[in-house]
Amino acid sequence: MASEATTLTVKGPHGERDMRISSPSRVLWPELGLTKLDLARYIADVGEAFVAANGDRPVSLQRYPEGIDGEMFFSKNPPKGAPEFVRSVKVVYPSARSHPQLVIDEPAAAVWAVQMNTIVFHPWPSRAGNSDNPDQLRIDLDPQPGTDFDDAVPAALELRSVLAEAGLTAFIKTSGNRGLHVFAPIEPTREFLDVRHAVIAAARELERRMPQQITTNWWKEERGERVFVDFNQANRDRTMAGAYSPRALAHAPVSCPLEWDELETADPKQFTIATVPDRLRTIGDPWADMHASPGTIDVLLKWWERDLAAGLGEMPFPPDYPKMPGEPPRVQPSRAKKPS
């Protein structure tokens, strides 16, 4: 018996490509009845903006063969059987190992990733041709228990001011869940550790200005009901859902770029794979000109050095990273040995 399959015609810079979609009626979002074909059509609809935001970058794929309620795995090496027009690039991980990762150059490549059961796309903050030097400074505002999206909004607005004082132009998007992602285009002249230090410097400055609302504490038990500035998302091989990427949540939300003047009235639950294509056609892409005038992290690194001189040192790295120079002990405060 022949397997169910269909073909979706996808427009791109090289004309149209007919992309095969197997099991098109497989339900990915059960509450809404949205299928694999619905997702492929969404990616094709937003393809130009999706590639502008996520293209020419190493991408990790978050794959759900049985839909959002089934098992999930991350795919860093490109799945086998890629079409000839889909490329990859070798990147170096914190372990010093290197592997190829998928690079999306056109909407059809993203649709092929959907065919391979990808729901969430995680692009690196660096370009394929210079993967060691990010061209985006990214800051993840993560509301902790007891806080929500509405608490992240004033934090993002103040963070925009902090970055402006450092000579950077900030862009904003929903995370697709409760948080916000703030990006700033930068010249790709510094490696990941420098960019991490720049993010920590900005995070500490934001925390000084909003100490009751913001925390940079890595350990969850110390964060309280505040918005956590996740500086470790700036590390090599740490990624977040890309702009216009769907998320694996029941209402099929999208990590959606916003204009700054939309932020205070935005409802992140309204940005879904059903609504975002019309939004793009109506108002355009708020991130279309993101990389027109990149800045530098020079001022933020001066703030980092200032804080070092004041006794504020390195912050903890994720547990799967090699121990880093100057890093504090990796132990929860409540489990740390008390001085005798």
Side-chain angles (χ1 to χ4, degrees):
M1 181 176 176
S3 62
E4 178 195 18
T6 191
T7 299
L8 181 65
T9 300
V10 183
K11 295 179 180 179
H14 306 292
E16 295 182 342
R17 298 192 192 273
D18 292 329
M19 302 303 298
R20 181 178 182 273
I21 306 296
S22 62
S23 305
S25 61
R26 177 184 295 154
V27 175
L28 301 182
W29 285 274
E31 287 190 20
L32 302 178
L34 292 171
T35 65
K36 185 176 181 180
L37 182 58
D38 291 325
L39 176 56
R41 285 172 172 159
Y42 164 76
I43 291 293
D45 282 346
V46 303
E48 184 177 349
F50 183 93
V51 172
N54 307 301
D56 192 32
R57 300 179 183 279
V59 176
S60 298
L61 307 178
Q62 195 172 353
R63 299 165 65 187
Y64 293 78
E66 304 302 326
I68 66 166
D69 293 334
E71 291 189 6
M72 173 276 293
F73 63 97
F74 281 91
S75 179
K76 294 186 177 181
N77 290 344
K80 293 180 180 179
E84 54 86 21
F85 64 86
V86 174
R87 68 176 171 126
S88 62
V89 63
K90 271 196 173 183
V91 296
V92 178
Y93 299 114
S95 64
R97 293 182 298 112
S98 63
H99 286 289
Q101 286 205 206
L102 178 73
V103 179
I104 292 173
D105 292 316
E106 58 179 285
V111 170
W112 173 76
V114 170
Q115 158 62 12
M116 302 307 293
N117 303 305
T118 301
I119 290 180
V120 190
F121 294 79
H122 295 262
W124 278 41
S126 52
R127 299 281 180 174
N130 186 10
S131 61
D132 292 329
N133 295 328
D135 72 339
Q136 292 174 337
L137 179 141
R138 301 174 172 183
I139 300 182
D140 180 13
L141 298 175
D142 183 11
Q144 298 302 289
T147 65
D148 212 328
F149 180 83
D150 289 343
D151 298 288
V153 169
L157 292 169
E158 187 60 34
L159 178 57
R160 182 191 189 191
S161 297
V162 168
L163 294 176
E165 290 174 25
L168 297 173
T169 301
F171 292 76
I172 187 77
K173 70 181 178 78
T174 65
S175 69
N177 196 356
R178 301 187 310 127
L180 284 165
H181 296 160
V182 178
F183 282 37
I186 57 175
E187 295 177 1
T189 57
R190 303 274 193 168
E191 54 93 23
F192 276 89
L193 187 60
D194 286 334
V195 176
R196 167 194 161 90
H197 290 161
V199 168
I200 291 173
R204 283 172 168 161
E205 183 60 28
L206 181 63
E207 186 177 33
R208 289 186 193 101
R209 299 183 186 193
M210 304 179 72
Q212 302 305 313
Q213 296 85 26
I214 296 296
T215 180
T216 60
N217 288 327
W218 174 245
W219 302 107
K220 291 182 179 180
E221 64 181 332
E222 294 187 329
R223 293 177 190 171
E225 294 185 1
R226 291 178 287 182
V227 175
F228 171 52
V229 186
D230 190 351
F231 52 86
N232 271 328
Q233 291 289 12
N235 290 346
R236 179 185 292 271
D237 193 35
R238 280 298 189 271
T239 56
M240 53 187 73
Y244 299 108
S245 172
R247 301 300 305 271
L249 299 172
H251 62 292
V254 167
S255 181
C256 187
L258 303 175
E259 299 286 359
W260 280 102
D261 60 9
E262 296 181 275
L263 181 57
E264 290 184 277
T265 58
D267 178 357
K269 293 182 180 179
Q270 298 302 310
F271 306 118
T272 72
I273 68 169
T275 64
V276 167
D278 281 342
R279 169 184 164 83
L280 263 174
R281 284 188 284 268
T282 301
I283 72 166
D285 179 11
W287 282 21
D289 297 324
M290 175 185 283
H291 287 279
S293 300
T296 75
I297 60 172
D298 294 351
V299 172
L300 289 177
L301 290 179
K302 288 179 180 177
W303 294 1
W304 164 259
E305 294 294 336
R306 174 201 66 195
D307 289 345
L308 283 181
L312 295 173
E314 185 60 89
M315 303 281 263
F317 282 75
D320 56 333
Y321 274 57
K323 189 70 175 176
M324 301 296 288
E327 183 185 355
R330 293 183 186 175
V331 59
Q332 273 179 245
S334 60
R335 296 184 180 181
K337 291 182 179 179
K338 303 294 187 288
S340 54

